Amino acid sequence: MTRTIVESKTKTAIIGFDQPFCVIGERINPTGRKILNEELERGDFSRVEADALAQVAAGANILDINSGAVFSNKMAEDPRYADNNFVEPTLMRELVQRVQAITDCPLCIDSSVPGALENGLAAAEGRPLLNSVTGEEERMELVLPLVKKYNVPVVAISNDDTGISEDPDVRFAVAKKIVERAADFGIPAHDIVVDPLVMPIGAMGTAGLQVFTLVRRLREELGVNTTCGASNISFGLPNRHGINNAFLPMAMAAGMTSAIMNPVALPVGPIRIAEKRAEVEAAGIVLPEDIDDETFCILFGLGSTKPKPGKEMEAIRAANFLTNNDEGGGAWIAFNRQPPKAGHEGRGRDARTGGRRRRA
């Protein structure tokens, strides 16, 4: 069985056909996150640290660290900040060091800048996953030597100099080319994790069927592990979680072994809570004066004021059980076990101490 080993200094994550699905947490990424961008520009890494801990608590096996920040204010003072080749290498090293200081979760070093990739590899303890190489000739010549030098696994994305093809056969051919070129560098197929590129189902009705077919081919013909940006499938559609929750188990059944995704259900903010309270009061519902925000959110189906595992994690854990990658269902049972209420620790379901009583 193909197994891709990703390690921190003290912990190992295994991506493999006979392993539980590997969740690669995507939250440490400033792309499209204005507040995070601004904080990183000020040298504030508190949100990065909080995101790292929340993702691990939600069940992430690997943490993706992306350094693609845009420092607009510094750019106005120093034109060098307009160049990602200047910004990302230093930022990547700092991000890796900050995250490693608070968690032993294995890492995925993610950047389009070769200097950032190398700085991340040099700073990372253990054996991180590198994200990524494409089928573009220039990219392969830059990234594959780094993969060999640091003896790390790499994500291979199925696009090349011609762009992203809508034809799944072309995407398979690109993946095969990367695997063969990696072999020329002495990089084994088990260290290649192919991203076959998931298209949005809203734009292409066959997107789901395509990726399922591609994943099967990649597994059976190339013997490689696979990953994807899981939320791409639902881009632009309502109730994205519903689509993601169906897609992930189906992809797993087709042979997909990992995904880059958000494992955390983000907490409900004060504005949404205030809006819902106003709706409830307008409907004539009288709330207890001492009801706290967390109880209110749970009672009215808003979620939680605290980061918790998302619904996608529930779907993945159920699929692990159904594919016999959760022997005896231990992980599923633990995931769904409710913590005891305050003052009821050590009591059974009927609130008596000592748990279940035997009949005389």
Side-chain angles (χ1 to χ4, degrees):
M1 286 290 187
T2 299
R3 291 184 173 184
T4 304
I5 307 298
V6 184
E7 296 175 317
S8 66
K9 188 175 182 179
T10 59
K11 196 170 184 179
T12 298
I14 303 175
I15 305 173
F17 304 152
D18 61 342
Q19 298 292 309
F21 193 74
C22 185
V23 174
I24 304 170
E26 69 179 6
R27 290 286 295 165
I28 303 174
N29 185 343
T31 305
R33 297 184 66 188
K34 183 179 179 181
I35 294 175
L36 178 58
N37 248 298
E38 292 172 350
E39 289 174 347
L40 292 176
E41 188 169 13
R42 298 196 305 269
D44 179 359
F45 292 86
S46 57
R47 191 178 301 270
V48 168
E49 293 168 349
D51 281 344
L53 294 174
Q55 289 182 103
V56 172
N61 308 108
I62 298 171
L63 294 177
D64 187 90
I65 298 183
N66 184 295
S67 57
V70 177
F71 291 167
S72 302
N73 293 328
K74 288 186 176 181
M75 200 184 300
E77 302 167 2
D78 185 340
R80 290 180 300 173
Y81 282 94
D83 183 2
N84 273 23
N85 290 288
F86 176 75
V87 173
E88 290 200 41
T90 301
L91 178 61
M92 178 63 83
R93 184 190 300 110
E94 183 73 12
L95 286 169
V96 169
Q97 291 172 342
R98 293 274 184 161
V99 173
Q100 282 182 157
I102 60 169
T103 177
D104 63 351
C105 187
L107 303 180
C108 176
I109 310 301
D110 184 357
S111 177
S112 61
V113 175
L117 293 178
E118 180 142 32
N119 271 13
L121 289 170
E125 300 171 336
R127 191 174 196 254
L129 177 63
L130 196 66
N131 190 8
S132 59
V133 65
T134 66
E136 298 164 292
E137 292 296 329
E138 181 181 2
R139 185 72 177 173
M140 287 191 289
E141 290 300 320
L142 287 169
V143 175
L144 291 178
L146 285 177
V147 175
K148 179 62 177 177
K149 175 182 176 181
Y150 287 92
N151 184 29
V152 295
V154 64
V155 174
I157 301 178
S158 298
N159 68 282
D160 60 11
D161 301 273
T162 63
I164 300 173
S165 174
E166 293 187 358
D167 185 341
D169 290 333
V170 172
R171 300 208 298 279
F172 177 83
V174 173
K176 184 177 180 182
K177 177 176 73 172
I178 298 171
V179 171
E180 291 172 346
R181 185 65 61 84
D184 292 338
F185 284 86
I187 301 164
H190 64 250
D191 274 341
I192 309 293
V193 181
V194 173
D195 182 346
L197 292 171
V198 175
M199 304 295 189
I201 192 73
M204 181 188 296
T206 59
L209 294 173
Q210 277 193 11
V211 77
F212 304 148
T213 300
L214 260 172
V215 166
R216 289 189 190 98
R217 288 192 69 191
L218 290 163
R219 174 172 177 162
E220 293 167 5
E221 298 180 36
L222 298 184
V224 293
N225 281 307
T226 45
T227 195
C228 70
S231 63
N232 289 353
I233 192 71
S234 61
F235 181 78
L237 293 173
N239 190 11
R240 296 185 67 184
H241 293 295
I243 294 173
N244 297 345
N245 292 349
F247 169 74
L248 282 162
M250 294 175 76
M252 292 167 67
M256 187 168 283
T257 48
S258 69
I260 301 169
M261 55 178 280
N262 177 16
V264 182
L266 299 181
V268 184
I271 295 176
R272 180 69 187 106
I273 294 171
E275 290 173 347
K276 188 64 177 179
R277 281 182 179 269
E279 290 176 18
V280 169
E281 291 171 3
I285 300 172
V286 179
L287 297 171
E289 292 184 3
D290 61 346
I291 188 171
D292 59 86
D293 285 347
E294 179 68 8
T295 303
F296 177 82
C297 286
I298 294 171
L299 186 62
F300 288 94
L302 293 183
S304 173
T305 59
K306 306 167 187 176
K308 292 189 175 182
K311 284 292 183 181
E312 287 86 345
M313 294 300 295
E314 182 176 297
I316 287 169
R317 291 177 189 273
N320 280 334
F321 193 5
L322 292 167
T323 55
N324 199 31
N325 283 318
D326 176 11
E327 188 174 354
W332 174 254
I333 292 167
F335 178 71
N336 286 281
R337 184 177 291 123
Q338 295 295 324
K341 294 180 180 179
H344 288 264
E345 296 85 352
R347 296 175 180 263
R349 284 181 294 176
D350 57 0
R352 294 190 299 259
T353 58
R356 200 178 208 173
R357 286 186 179 178
R358 294 183 180 179
R359 289 184 179 177

